[in-house]
Structure formats: C-alpha cells, structure tokens
C-alpha cells in the first residue's frame, strides 16, 4: 500500500492498494440490529408507494385506532361513525360501499376513481371520523395509529372474499 496524490486535488492523499484500487472501509449496510428501532410493538403500514388503482376495482381499507382508546363496539360510537360516513358522502371521487366497525379498527369497502382520489377521500374521511370519535369519547387528540391500510380487489373472487370477511368479521 502506498499513498498517492489525488489527480484532481491540490492537496490531500488517499489510500491506494498496489493494484491501484481504493481501499474502502465498509460502514453500514444490512446487518443484524441496524436501522431505526420501532416505536410500537406492532408493525406499521408501509410508506412505500401504493399500487395503481382503476375505477373498476374496489379497495378494502382498514383504519386502526391508536392504543388506549375505548372500544367502538357500542351503540353511541357506531352512530357517530355512521353519521360521519353519511356526511362525508362521495367527496373527492370516492365512496364507502360497505363498512364494519370493530373494537379497535374499521373495515371499509371503498370505490374510487384513481389512486389520488382514494388518497384524498381517505384523508378527509379519517379527519371526519377522528372528530366524530373524539366528540363521542369526550377527548381531544390523535385517534388513528397510522395511515390507512389498503388492498386493491382485482378479481370477483377477491371482492367476494372481502365482502364475506367484512360483513361476518364480528362473528
């Protein structure tokens, strides 16, 4: 190994091996324990790009509540959610076709014209639902733990299975 002057610099040296190749020290990369640690024990919704969407394909959407909130499986919470869904209607090119209220999450079958309209529709709906749930619970603050989880239903079979799951989940 020798030290050689860099060709484009006036001063400074870099380490070069006998073959002329730079000796690089490996820092970082995939290794056990590397990366940012999770804030919660449960895995969150991925922030990767969502798949493209056609107006012909419905989407199964899930909104999960944050830890520590009361169950939504009571008459008052259901009425608040139902009213919020009615008021939201078909804004931003989307609409909720079916929905199911569980203790700590909501399942919805949503139709939207394209990916951007689904995103805007769900953002507005999440705000409206959060306000309604907070009003019912008599509190302020964050209601949903993360972004909405979505699955595009491309086939009739997918839609059928999703409807059965959505409508009979409580059993």
């Amino acid at each position: 190994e020798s030290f050689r002057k860099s060709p484009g610099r006036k001063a400074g040296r870099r380490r070069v091996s006998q073959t002329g190749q730079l000796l690089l020290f490996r820092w970082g990369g995939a290794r056990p324990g590397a990366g940012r640690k999770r804030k919660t024990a449960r895995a969150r919704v991925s922030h990767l790009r969502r798949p493209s969407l056609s107006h012909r394909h419905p989407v199964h959407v899930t909104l999960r509540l944050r830890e520590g909130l009361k169950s939504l499986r009571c008459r008052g919470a259901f009425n608040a959610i139902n009213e919020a869904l009615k008021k939201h209607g078909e804004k931003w090119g989307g609409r909720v076709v079916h929905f199911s209220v569980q203790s700590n999450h909501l399942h919805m079958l949503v139709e939207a014209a394209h990916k951007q309209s689904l995103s805007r529709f769900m953002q507005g709906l999440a705000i409206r639902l959060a306000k309604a749930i907070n009003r019912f619970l008599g509190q302020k603050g964050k209601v949903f733990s993360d972004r909405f989880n979505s699955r595009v239903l491309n086939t009739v079979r997918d839609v059928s299975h999703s409807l059965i799951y959505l409508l009979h989940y409580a059993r």
Side-chain angles (χ1 to χ4, degrees):
E1 295 179 12
S2 64
F3 286 98
R4 194 177 353 171
K5 193 173 182 180
S6 300
R9 297 175 154 183
K10 292 183 178 181
R13 294 176 179 233
R14 60 182 180 173
R15 184 165 234 154
V16 179
S17 69
Q18 295 295 340
T19 61
Q21 196 173 27
L22 282 175
L23 292 176
L24 300 175
F25 300 99
R26 185 166 188 247
W27 291 48
R31 61 192 189 283
R36 184 178 290 184
K37 305 301 178 259
R38 284 187 180 166
K39 290 182 180 178
T40 60
R42 181 177 192 79
R44 301 183 73 168
V45 177
S46 172
H47 281 258
L48 297 176
R49 184 176 291 192
R50 294 190 189 272
S52 62
L53 176 65
S54 169
H55 68 280
R56 290 176 278 156
H57 299 126
V59 183
H60 183 180
V61 175
T62 306
L63 274 171
R64 184 168 298 281
L65 270 62
R66 112 182 130 74
E67 296 285 328
L69 292 180
K70 296 177 185 174
S71 174
L72 297 179
R73 298 281 296 186
C74 64
R75 179 65 58 197
F78 180 82
N79 289 339
I81 292 168
N82 195 22
E83 285 301 314
L85 288 171
K86 282 181 186 175
K87 284 182 183 176
H88 197 64
E90 295 187 21
K91 292 185 178 181
W92 295 288
R95 68 183 184 136
V96 175
V97 181
H98 294 286
F99 71 97
S100 174
V101 179
Q102 305 306 316
S103 62
N104 64 347
H105 62 282
L106 301 166
H107 288 288
M108 292 173 273
L109 194 65
V110 177
E111 291 178 345
H114 46 78
K115 187 168 66 169
Q116 289 80 13
S117 64
L118 174 68
S119 178
R120 295 293 178 257
F121 177 79
M122 288 306 301
Q123 286 172 6
L125 181 60
I127 291 167
R128 190 178 293 268
L129 287 170
K131 286 181 177 182
I133 292 168
N134 273 338
R135 203 174 311 116
F136 167 73
L137 296 175
Q139 65 179 27
K140 292 182 179 180
K142 190 174 176 179
V143 172
F144 298 108
S145 66
D146 203 7
R147 307 180 338 143
F148 67 93
N149 186 16
S150 65
R151 181 171 173 261
V152 179
L153 307 173
N154 293 318
T155 65
V156 175
R157 188 178 200 172
D158 286 345
V159 175
S160 173
H161 286 301
S162 183
L163 270 173
I164 291 168
Y165 177 78
L166 194 112
L167 299 175
H168 297 291
Y169 184 81
R171 290 184 192 169

